[in-house]
Amino acid sequence: MEKLNSLKNLFVHEIQDLYSAELQLTKALPKVAAKATSPELKNAVEEHLAQTEEHVSRLEQVFHLLGEEPTELTCKAMKGLIKEAKDILKEEASPETRDAAIIAAAQKVEHYEIASYGTVAKWADVIGRNDIKQLLGQTLDEEEKADRRLSELAEAGINQRAAAYRAEEKELTE
Ligand SMILES: [Fe+2]
Ligand SMILES: [Fe+2]
């Protein structure tokens, strides 16, 4: 691997990391969608899966524009976030609680992506690559929208339904 002796090298390093992160997500999101109960949540995850495939191909365009081969550098952070999501989804849970867990896990992923794309979009600017900045900015925009949609779904009642379920359960056992 090239030494990180310039911002350009560091930039490529980060793009390789993001490429790995997005590829991991294309494999994980179908499993998450299958576990969702709320049709709105299932839809949101499925639509973001389609966008994630776009994110992969945008990164391939970025590699191309940099004159580099698309290469994955295992994103350990995404690996960890996905592992945590898988672990929580393995637990026995009411459908409502599981949906709340899916939203929580998905928002952690979105925030990771927002932080990463925000950084590389800025760096693309610094290294004078407006063409690349445009591509990364498009993805950043979609990640932010996906995050907001998840917040709206949570506020629209998934969290409340989970809380109501707990209260009901408590009543039954008392
Ligand atoms: Fe993405
Ligand atoms: Fe995303």
Side-chain angles (χ1 to χ4, degrees):
M1 196 183 82
E2 276 181 322
K3 280 206 186 106
L4 302 177
N5 55 2
S6 70
L7 187 61
K8 162 86 192 297
N9 287 351
L10 182 60
F11 180 77
V12 173
H13 181 277
E14 286 298 309
I15 296 292
Q16 290 172 339
D17 182 285
L18 265 172
Y19 190 49
S20 157
E22 296 281 20
L23 283 170
Q24 289 182 52
L25 286 170
T26 59
K27 285 177 208 131
L29 287 177
K31 292 173 200 157
V32 173
K35 291 259 186 179
T37 303
S38 144
E40 295 90 351
L41 179 58
K42 202 182 268 289
N43 241 328
V45 176
E46 278 165 359
E47 280 176 33
H48 198 56
L49 169 63
Q51 286 183 329
T52 298
E53 279 155 8
E54 272 291 304
H55 300 172
V56 169
S57 71
R58 270 189 212 127
L59 288 173
E60 285 165 353
Q61 287 179 61
V62 170
F63 280 115
H64 179 74
L65 289 168
L66 289 165
E68 301 271 344
E69 276 301 310
T71 312
E72 277 182 81
L73 192 70
T74 306
C75 177
K76 296 192 186 100
M78 190 55 72
K79 228 180 173 171
L81 289 172
I82 291 171
K83 171 85 170 67
E84 278 192 3
K86 276 188 183 158
D87 287 350
I88 195 106
L89 291 179
K90 257 189 245 155
E91 298 287 328
E92 237 180 85
S94 68
E96 296 86 350
T97 315
R98 181 171 296 117
D99 280 356
I102 289 173
I103 292 180
Q107 285 197 291
K108 286 180 195 179
V109 167
E110 291 317 314
H111 284 230
Y112 178 84
E113 290 185 296
I114 290 166
S116 303
Y117 279 106
T119 299
V120 288
K122 269 271 173 332
W123 286 352
D125 208 19
V126 174
I127 62 172
R129 292 301 302 257
N130 195 55
D131 50 349
I132 294 174
K133 191 196 167 190
Q134 294 300 317
L135 285 168
L136 298 170
Q138 260 177 289
T139 299
L140 176 59
D141 198 53
E142 288 173 6
E143 308 293 16
E144 285 170 344
K145 282 193 183 123
D147 181 51
R148 279 200 294 275
R149 189 167 173 194
L150 289 164
S151 287
E152 280 160 20
L153 284 175
E155 280 154 27
I158 288 174
N159 283 344
Q160 282 91 325
R161 281 203 294 277
Y165 179 87
R166 290 292 309 153
E168 220 171 82
E169 199 180 44
K170 208 173 156 234
E171 257 169 48
L172 290 173
T173 53
E174 269 168 7

